[in-house]
């Protein structure tokens, strides 16, 4: 198993540009999520999904869109990038019980995004 | 979910036990204690979790006080590869999907 994969590893955008961060997992996990991590801070939840066709907002959803058309993929879209979105983005996945994430979340290697 | 308090940093000599404390004085009866770690530039990694009994796995041991207001993660023989930020998280199991909340953690530096 490749686990959780993220592309690209690094990205530089100009203010106002749009882009999609890709996340895929091959463990047949129902739950997937996106976090951002800023210097000196912990991870903050952006959006999550408990299954294909189901998404919901986390702590800091503004400026980001997600969709979940398949179990494997959970892309994160930045519609109009802003310097405040400069961060490291992590995707995670896990099994679910009763529609909620279980103990072990598997994280991808991260995407380092800089918005100029 | 209950809030946790951890020291910002700790040092440990290689080969010695690393004991990382966590305070969670407002923990509820149905909340578990989880530990994750994040090695530099990598995604977080699950270590262990527990409710009230002490737990051990191949990576670490978790000691939870009888009143459950604090816990200690023990790495029995720390190596340089254990240098990381360690996060103590309290949540209901299975958690609501939005509630795996990472604080700032403890930065453990293992030295020769």
């Amino acid at each position: 198993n490749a686990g959780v994969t993220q592309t690209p590893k690094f990205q530089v955008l100009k203010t106002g540009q749009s882009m999609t961060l890709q996340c895929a997992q091959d463990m047949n996990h129902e739950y997937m999520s996106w976090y951002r991590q800023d210097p000196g801070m912990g991870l903050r939840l952006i959006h999550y999904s408990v299954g294909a066709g189901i998404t919901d907002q986390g702590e800091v959803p503004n400026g980001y869109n997600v969709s979940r058309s398949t179990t494997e993929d959970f892309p994160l879209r930045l519609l109009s990038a802003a310097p405040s979105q400069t961060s490291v983005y992590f995707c995670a996945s896990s099994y679910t019980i009763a529609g909620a994430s279980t103990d072990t979340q598997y994280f991808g290697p991260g995407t380092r995004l800089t918005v100029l | 979910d209950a809030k946790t308090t951890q020291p910002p940093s700790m040092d440990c000599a290689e080969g010695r036990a690393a004991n990382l404390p966590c305070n969670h004085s407002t923990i509820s009866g149905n909340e578990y204690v989880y530990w994750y770690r994040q090695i530099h530039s990598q995604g977080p990694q699950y270590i262990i979790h527990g409710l009230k009994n002490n737990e051990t796995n191949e990576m670490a041991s978790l000691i939870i006080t009888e009143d459950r207001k604090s816990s200690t993660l023990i790495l029995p023989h720390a190596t340089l590869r254990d240098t990381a930020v360690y996060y103590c998280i309290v949540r209901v199991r299975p958690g609501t999907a939005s509630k795996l909340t990472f604080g700032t953690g403890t930065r453990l530096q293992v030295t020769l």
Side-chain angles (χ1 to χ4, degrees):
Chain A
N1 286 348
V4 179
T5 58
Q6 292 183 238
T7 57
K9 289 188 183 302
F10 302 93
Q11 183 69 50
V12 179
L13 293 177
K14 295 181 179 179
T15 297
Q17 286 185 315
S18 63
M19 80 157 296
T20 299
L21 279 63
Q22 301 291 345
C23 175
Q25 52 89 13
D26 61 359
M27 297 173 280
N28 202 31
H29 287 167
E30 295 167 315
Y31 175 85
M32 296 185 74
S33 60
W34 277 101
Y35 293 85
R36 61 176 287 173
Q37 185 172 36
D38 300 311
M41 297 182 67
L43 282 79
R44 292 183 292 170
L45 183 68
I46 305 172
H47 284 285
Y48 65 95
S49 168
V50 297
I54 306 169
T55 64
D56 207 342
Q57 297 180 349
E59 301 175 67
V60 289
N62 293 339
Y64 307 95
N65 279 358
V66 292
S67 60
R68 185 92 179 273
S69 56
T70 67
T71 299
E72 294 78 18
D73 301 299
F74 191 43
L76 178 72
R77 282 185 290 277
L78 283 70
L79 301 177
S80 178
S84 61
Q85 294 179 304
T86 294
S87 189
V88 181
Y89 291 84
F90 291 100
C91 179
S93 73
S94 71
Y95 292 108
T96 59
I97 297 175
S101 173
T102 57
D103 312 322
T104 304
Q105 291 198 24
Y106 297 84
F107 284 80
T111 294
R112 281 150 185 79
L113 176 67
T114 301
V115 182
L116 303 175
Chain B
D1 291 337
K3 183 176 177 176
T4 62
T5 304
Q6 299 177 251
S9 64
M10 295 182 64
D11 293 329
C12 179
E14 189 176 33
R16 306 296 287 268
N19 298 295
L20 291 89
C22 180
N23 285 321
H24 31 79
S25 59
T26 60
I27 192 170
S28 300
N30 63 345
E31 289 180 316
Y32 286 67
V33 180
Y34 290 79
W35 285 83
Y36 278 75
R37 73 179 182 183
Q38 187 175 20
I39 297 170
H40 182 63
S41 299
Q42 298 181 22
Q45 176 189 25
Y46 166 82
I47 302 173
I48 198 167
H49 75 279
L51 181 63
K52 54 183 178 182
N53 297 322
N54 298 338
E55 302 288 344
T56 296
N57 63 19
E58 65 279 2
M59 291 182 67
S61 295
L62 174 61
I63 309 298
I64 302 173
T65 58
E66 192 167 343
D67 63 7
R68 303 212 318 124
K69 294 184 183 300
S70 66
S71 60
T72 301
L73 178 74
I74 300 172
L75 309 178
H77 305 287
T79 70
L80 296 177
R81 286 176 293 182
D82 292 321
T83 293
V85 178
Y86 288 78
Y87 297 97
C88 170
I89 300 165
V90 173
R91 60 175 281 187
V92 176
R93 175 184 185 235
T96 54
S98 61
K99 290 296 185 182
L100 188 60
T101 303
F102 289 80
T104 53
T106 296
R107 183 171 300 276
L108 175 68
Q109 180 69 52
V110 181
T111 58
L112 291 172

